[in-house]
Amino acid sequence: MLSVKNLVKWIEGQAVLEDISFSIEQGTITGLIGRNGVGKTTLLRSLVGILDPDQGEVLFEGKNIAINPEVKQSIVFVPDSFTTFNNYHVKELIQLYDAIYEDFDVSYFYELLQRFNLPNNRKVRSFSRGMKALLFIILSISTKAKLIILDEPTNGLDAIAKRQILQFLLEEVSESQLSLLISSHHLDELEKISDTIIMMRAGKIESVISMEDAKLHYKKLQVVFKDGIMPEEILQLSHVEEISRIGRVHTLLIKGNVNETVQILHEYQPLLLEQLPMSLEDMFVSALGGDGIV
């Protein structure tokens, strides 16, 4: 559906995006993660044509969006801030979206508005942060776009509003086969709903991995040795990282070769060796945790 090839973007003489390549398939949810300032928002804006790439291209269903602006009808970007629309009345927003998007479904919009108990007779500025987020997600869904790009959609929302929004998005992906690209720092949320995770570091793609593959190839183990010392052979393995140590208890992150590593550990006759639940946060910290505070 969406294909990004060798994308480069310079801003004020600095390369913000370098050789970015990935693809998004129809009916999938892709999470975009990375530390602050790595270029995630710049990438999202480049995907929808708000920013023009200096090199490379963004293809939607095989068409370059830079020279085929009509394909933007099928892509909607929901930013992380809605202050630009604070003075709009809900009905004015409907008129705006209806004018921009040919397939905007006014009836479906009102149906969703009623479903989520959102008012239709107020200005956006009177809405809470959660109400605004839900309103603009509803607007984006009502365009009948094939790809919706969301920048921090659940920032500042309470637990109930988050669950409400995420469940709604999952339903729409399942029923309409639309695709979502979600940039978020809420790794626990992305872990629950994403099919694929794109990790960025310093303007580049660090990795693209499906959650299914991540669960197969990444394991977290807790191990205790009689003398409390981790064998040097284990520490020298390139795919093994010690992510914490409390007393004699060592927690290891294994990135591939899991069975072989477990066999090696057993050779040292540990007092305890057990597998712990693996999280997206564990992978994030392992890959990006050494970059200092940003």
Side-chain angles (χ1 to χ4, degrees):
M1 175 182 278
L2 183 78
S3 180
V4 182
K5 298 182 178 181
N6 309 114
L7 193 69
V8 174
K9 182 61 185 176
W10 289 73
I11 297 178
E12 296 182 354
Q14 292 188 336
V16 179
L17 301 176
E18 299 183 59
D19 197 28
I20 300 288
S21 297
F22 64 89
S23 60
I24 294 176
E25 302 301 323
Q26 183 177 357
T28 62
I29 300 176
T30 301
L32 176 65
I33 65 175
R35 303 193 69 180
N36 292 332
V38 299
K40 297 188 300 297
T41 297
T42 299
L43 174 58
L44 299 186
R45 291 175 176 171
S46 299
L47 298 183
V48 295
I50 296 174
L51 298 175
D52 292 326
D54 293 304
Q55 294 178 34
E57 57 184 0
V58 179
L59 304 177
F60 186 81
E61 296 185 334
K63 295 182 178 180
N64 189 320
I65 68 166
I67 57 178
N68 297 280
E70 70 276 4
V71 302
K72 296 178 185 179
Q73 286 282 323
S74 297
I75 309 173
V76 178
F77 175 49
V78 182
D80 63 343
S81 174
F82 312 106
T83 53
T84 303
F85 301 98
N86 273 345
N87 289 323
Y88 278 75
H89 192 282
V90 171
K91 292 182 179 178
E92 292 174 324
L93 278 178
I94 295 170
Q95 293 172 351
L96 177 65
Y97 273 67
D98 194 28
I100 295 174
Y101 296 99
E102 296 175 358
D103 295 327
F104 186 78
D105 191 333
V106 177
S107 297
Y108 189 52
F109 172 80
Y110 277 114
E111 179 184 326
L112 293 174
L113 211 64
Q114 186 175 17
R115 170 183 170 181
F116 291 104
N117 297 313
L118 290 179
N120 63 9
N121 57 353
R122 287 163 51 181
K123 286 194 173 183
V124 173
R125 67 185 177 202
S126 69
F127 283 35
S128 68
R129 176 70 177 84
M131 291 168 68
K132 288 179 183 177
L134 188 51
L135 172 65
F136 281 89
I137 288 173
I138 287 173
L139 280 165
S140 67
I141 294 291
S142 300
T143 65
K144 302 300 181 180
K146 296 179 180 179
L147 172 64
I148 296 177
I149 298 174
L150 302 157
D151 193 2
E152 299 289 354
T154 61
N155 256 8
L157 307 186
D158 61 49
I160 295 175
K162 286 181 182 181
R163 178 176 294 185
Q164 190 178 41
I165 287 175
L166 293 176
Q167 183 60 41
F168 171 52
L169 290 173
L170 283 170
E171 289 174 8
E172 289 294 327
V173 170
S174 176
E175 294 174 7
S176 305
Q177 282 296 291
L178 68 85
S179 298
L180 299 177
L181 173 60
I182 305 174
S183 174
S184 177
H185 286 97
H186 299 283
L187 304 184
D188 56 330
E189 296 171 8
L190 290 180
E191 182 176 358
K192 292 175 183 176
I193 67 173
S194 298
D195 301 294
T196 302
I197 294 293
I198 299 171
M199 190 178 297
M200 288 187 67
R201 180 208 289 265
K204 299 179 180 180
I205 298 294
E206 173 76 12
S207 63
V208 179
I209 188 168
S210 73
M211 288 305 301
E212 185 177 348
D213 285 344
K215 291 174 182 177
L216 288 174
H217 295 100
Y218 285 77
K219 299 294 181 183
K220 186 163 67 169
L221 302 177
Q222 186 171 269
V223 60
V224 176
F225 295 97
K226 186 175 182 179
D227 59 5
I229 300 174
M230 176 68 66
E232 191 65 27
E233 180 186 358
I234 303 299
L235 293 175
Q236 290 178 352
L237 295 174
S238 61
H239 62 283
V240 176
E241 178 182 356
E242 184 176 25
I243 56 178
S244 74
R245 178 182 178 182
I246 302 175
R248 294 193 299 168
V249 181
H250 302 262
T251 303
L252 306 177
L253 182 63
I254 315 298
K255 295 169 278 189
N257 301 320
V258 175
N259 293 333
E260 295 176 19
T261 306
V262 170
Q263 287 179 357
I264 294 173
L265 286 167
H266 275 302
E267 291 174 4
Y268 288 91
Q269 300 181 338
L271 299 177
L272 172 70
L273 178 58
E274 64 176 354
Q275 184 174 325
L276 300 176
M278 182 72 194
S279 71
L280 180 57
E281 182 176 349
D282 292 324
M283 289 184 279
F284 181 89
V285 172
S286 174
L288 307 177
D291 291 344
I293 297 173
V294 180

